[in-house]
Amino acid sequence: MALRTLPSGSAGRGDSAREPRTGAAGSRRAARQPRRKLPSWVPVDRLAVLLPLARRMRPDYPRPGRQGFRRWIPSWRQLVGSLLITVGLVTTGLALAYWRTEIPEDLNSFATQQDNVYYWDDGSVMARTGWVRRQEMPLEEVPEDVRWAVLAAENASFYEDPGISPSGIARAITRMLGGGETQGGSTITQQYVKNAYLNQDQTYSRKFTEMMLALKVDNKFSKDEILEGYLNTSWFGRGTYGIQRASQAYYGKEVSELNASEGAFLASLLKGAGLYDPALGGGNRERAVERWEWTLDRMVEIGKLSPAERAKFTKFPEPTEVTGGRTDLSGQHGYLVELAKSYVTRSGKVSDAEFDLGGYQIYTTFNKKRTDSLDKAVHTARAKLDPKKREEDTFVRTGAATVGADGKILALYGGPGFLKQGFNESNAVTVPAGSAFTPFVYAAALSEGVMRERQGPRVPVTPSTPYDGRHNASVMTPEGPYWDRNGRVVKGKNDGGKSWGESITLREAMVNSVNTPFLQLGMDVGLDRVRRHAVNAGMLPSSMGPQVPAFSLGTSTPSAIRMATAYGTFASKGMHTEPYSVLRVTRNGQEVRLPAVRSQRVFSADVARQVTDALEGVMEEGTGTKARVPGVRAAGKTGTTQDNKAAWFVGYTEQEATAVVLYRMDLRKLDLLPLDRVAGAEAGTLGSSLPADIWRDYTEGRTQGAARP
C-alpha cells in the first residue's frame, strides 16, 4: 500500500517545521544520499499505518501555540497518557519484583533459636539456657480466645486479607513521606515476615521487601501456619519471644491456661512492651488497662466474644512482677543442668546440635530444698578449712549426692560453683571408695557364700560368721598365703594398726570398720563375684578396680552419685533402679520419649536387711556415731583408704541415700594428695570427719525443716 499524500493546506499547527526542504541544496543532498531500501522482512504495510500514528501520538511539549506558563500545562490527553504509562510501568515493576522475590530457606537465628527450660521436681523453673528466651507452641495449644485477642488488636481481617493491607500501606507511606518512622500499616503476615526473615531496620527497601515477601508467604502457607509462626516469634518484653514464654513471664503458667482477658493484655504488649508492661512504671499500667479494654471491646465488635462473656472481664488481669526462674548457671544450678542435659541427649537419643537449637522443657528429679540444704551443709563444713594458715587445707574438694530409693537423683553438690569450676565433683570417678566399699563384699558373701577349698563346696555365711581380725593377718588362698608380684605375702592392715583378735564376727567387723576380715572375705567369695554384685547394685563397670586382694577394700573409684545409688539398693530392700535425673522431656509441647524406669532385684530382701542391720550398728555404736541424727533411723558407713587420700560417708534411710566424699587434688595435675591434718585434725588420723559432719547437718536440716508447720 502506497503512503497517502496529505492534501495541500491540511498540515496541522507546527507541521510546517517538519516539511522537507526544497531547492538546489536539498536536491544535491538527496542526490548524495540515495533512499535506502527496507529489508524484505519488514512489514511495509504495517509501517505505513503505525508510523503516522506514532507521529500523532508523540506529545507536543512544551505545547506549541501557547504563550507563557500555559505552554507548560499538559493537556488532558497528556495527563491520561502519562498516568497510564506510569501505572503500566509500576505494575510491570511490581510483577517483576514479585516474580524475583524468593522466600528464604533459613529463618533468622532468633526466629528459630529457643531456650531450654529446666524445672525442679515440683514444676517450678530451675534454670533456662540459650541465647533467646523463646519456646515454640503449636497453634492448637493457644486458646482460641487468646488468638482472637491478638487478631482483634493487630489485624482483624487477617483471614481475609492477601497478606498486605493497601490502606495500611498508604498510611505507612504517608508517614514516611511526612518524615515519620517507616512503621505502621503492617498486617500480621508482614510482621511475621519481618520477625522470621528480615531485620528490624526501618528503611524503604526493607519495607518494600517485606510487602513482597508477605504476598509470597500468604500464597505459600496457610493462615494458621502464619499465625502460629507470628505468635512464636513476636517480642513480648521481659526478655521473651513467643506467647508461651510471655505467658510464663507475665502470669507464671502455660499459654494453654490463659483466658481471653489475659490474652488481651498480652496482645497489648505487641505494640511495645516498654509502653504497656506495668512493672516498668510510669503511665504503663494506665495505657495497658486502656488497651486491654479496647481489645476486649474490639473482640465483641468483630463477633469473637459475646457481650455476656465480655461482661465477666471487669478487673484488669494484673501480671506478676517477678518472672521467676534463674537464667544463669551459677552455683549448683550449672551442675544440675549439665547432668540433666547429659541424660536427655544420651537416653532420649537427642544430638547435641539438635538440643542446642532449644525448645526443650526438661522436668528434672532435683529437689530445690534438698539441694539448698546440701549446699548449706557443705559450706558449713568447709568453713573449718583455712588454706591461708594450713597448707594441708589447700585443694580440698567435696562432692555429694542424694539419690532416692527409686533411682531419682534428688540433690547434689558438684563444687564451689559451675561458673568457677565446671568439673563436677559429685560425678567424678577419680576417688577410691576405700572401706565404704566393704558392704558390697559383705552382701556378696551373704548372697553367694564362700569357698575356702579349691573346687570345694560353697559354705553359707551369716552376720555371726567369725573371721580373723588381727592387724597384719595374712591373706590366704586354698593353696596358702597370697603372694604379690614382688614376692611378698599380702597382709591386711587395720586403721590405726589395731588388732581385733583372731575371731570377730562379720557384723562386728562392719560396725567397727575392721579391714582384715573383709580382705579375706573377698578372696573367699571370689573377687569376680564381688565385682558383679557391686555393679548390679549400681556402680559402673568402668570404675571397678583390678581384681587383687585390695579390691575388697575399695580400690574402685565410684562417683558420689553411683555410691549413693548402690547404697540405695540396700535402702530399697535389694531392688536396684538405675539413677536418673529427668522425669520427662517435651519439645514445643511434644513428648520426647525416654526409656522406662525399671527396677530389678539384685539382693534378696533378707540380705539387704542384714546389711542394713550392720550399717545401722555403725551409726549407733560404731565408726559413724558422729553422723547420728536424733529421731532419724539411718544406716551408714565411713570410708577411708590406707594411703589416706580419700574420706567418705554414705548414709541412708528407707527413702534415700546420700554419699559425701572429700579429697585433695590439684586439678592441674590430677594427683590425689594426702588428707593428713586437714581442718586441723590430729596427726595420724585417717580420713576426715567432715563428710560425716556434712551428712549429719544436711539430714538434720531437712528433718527439722520438714517438722516445721
Side-chain angles (χ1 to χ4, degrees), residues 662-676:
L662 183 137
Y663 61 102
R664 291 181 66 209
M665 178 184 284
D666 184 346
L667 294 181
R668 295 169 298 183
K669 300 179 180 179
L670 298 180
D671 290 330
L672 289 173
L673 303 172
L675 293 176
D676 300 331

Side-chain angles (χ1 to χ4, degrees), residues 329 351 367 378 474 491 494 504 542 613 619 685 693:
L329 300 178
S351 68
N367 182 276
V378 173
S474 298
K491 296 183 179 182
N494 295 327
I504 183 173
S542 59
D613 174 70
M619 302 289 286
T685 302
D693 293 342

Side-chain angles (χ1 to χ4, degrees), residues 86-406:
T86 301
V87 170
L89 290 175
V90 170
T91 302
T92 302
L94 290 175
L96 181 62
Y98 178 83
W99 176 71
R100 296 186 61 183
T101 298
E102 295 183 358
I103 300 175
E105 294 183 2
D106 298 325
L107 301 180
N108 286 334
S109 60
F110 68 86
T112 56
Q113 184 74 32
Q114 303 179 63
D115 59 351
N116 294 318
V117 185
Y118 296 79
Y119 299 89
W120 295 104
D121 63 349
D122 64 358
S124 60
V125 175
M126 180 180 75
R128 300 184 180 97
T129 61
W131 295 105
V132 176
R133 294 176 63 183
R134 188 174 72 85
Q135 291 279 302
E136 285 192 3
M137 289 298 287
L139 187 64
E140 56 265 24
E141 294 292 326
V142 182
E144 189 172 355
D145 284 345
V146 176
R147 293 184 233 166
W148 277 106
V150 172
L151 293 174
E154 292 292 306
N155 186 186
S157 63
F158 169 72
Y159 281 100
E160 289 78 35
D161 65 41
I164 62 174
S165 169
S167 60
I169 292 173
R171 290 194 301 271
I173 293 175
T174 302
R175 284 178 61 94
M176 287 187 280
L177 294 177
E181 295 182 349
T182 56
Q183 60 184 9
S186 294
T187 63
I188 277 180
T189 307
Q190 288 176 258
Q191 293 180 55
Y192 169 63
V193 163
K194 180 174 65 175
N195 293 340
Y197 301 111
L198 305 175
N199 56 42
Q200 304 300 308
D201 294 342
Q202 302 292 339
T203 62
Y204 296 101
S205 61
R206 204 275 299 153
K207 193 72 177 178
F208 180 78
T209 304
E210 173 192 302
M211 291 186 290
M212 292 297 103
L213 272 176
L215 291 170
K216 281 270 186 172
V217 167
D218 189 80
N219 186 51
K220 181 176 180 179
F221 300 103
S222 70
K223 288 291 188 178
D224 281 350
E225 288 176 317
I226 296 171
L227 180 59
E228 179 180 300
Y230 172 73
L231 292 176
N232 282 321
T233 58
S234 294
W235 168 255
F236 284 87
R238 295 195 180 183
T240 64
Y241 286 92
I243 198 165
Q244 163 72 354
R245 294 291 286 106
S247 176
Q248 295 169 342
Y250 288 92
Y251 291 109
K253 55 186 175 182
E254 303 294 297
V255 66
S256 59
E257 301 171 1
L258 294 176
N259 59 33
S261 178
E262 293 161 336
F265 165 72
L266 293 181
S268 70
L269 299 171
L270 295 168
K271 288 295 183 184
L275 295 174
Y276 294 96
D277 183 356
L280 299 181
N284 283 18
R285 188 182 186 282
E286 183 178 347
R287 282 190 291 269
V289 172
E290 181 180 355
R291 182 73 178 176
W292 166 74
E293 292 178 337
W294 178 87
T295 301
L296 291 175
D297 292 341
R298 177 68 172 153
M299 290 178 70
V300 175
E301 182 181 335
I302 64 176
K304 297 303 178 181
L305 191 68
S306 69
E309 291 173 319
R310 170 65 181 92
K312 297 177 183 178
F313 303 123
T314 58
K315 185 178 180 181
F316 178 65
E318 296 287 351
T320 60
E321 293 188 5
V322 180
T323 59
R326 299 171 63 105
T327 58
D328 64 88
L329 300 178
S330 62
Q332 300 304 306
H333 290 72
Y335 301 119
L336 300 175
V337 163
E338 285 300 302
L339 193 65
K341 175 185 175 181
S342 175
Y343 185 85
V344 172
T345 54
R346 184 182 69 255
S347 301
K349 298 181 180 179
V350 177
S351 68
D352 288 335
E354 186 178 4
F355 189 84
D356 288 342
L357 288 176
Y360 290 90
Q361 301 84 41
I362 302 99
Y363 298 86
T364 75
T365 61
F366 305 130
N367 182 276
K368 186 177 188 305
K369 291 182 179 179
R370 281 182 169 85
T371 299
D372 291 343
S373 182
L374 183 57
D375 184 65
K376 181 179 179 181
V378 173
H379 278 85
T380 299
R382 291 184 61 86
K384 300 174 184 178
L385 302 173
D386 193 347
K388 294 182 179 179
K389 292 183 178 181
R390 290 187 295 268
E391 184 181 354
E392 295 84 358
D393 289 355
T394 58
F395 305 122
V396 176
R397 307 193 179 280
T398 310
T402 299
V403 179
D406 56 0

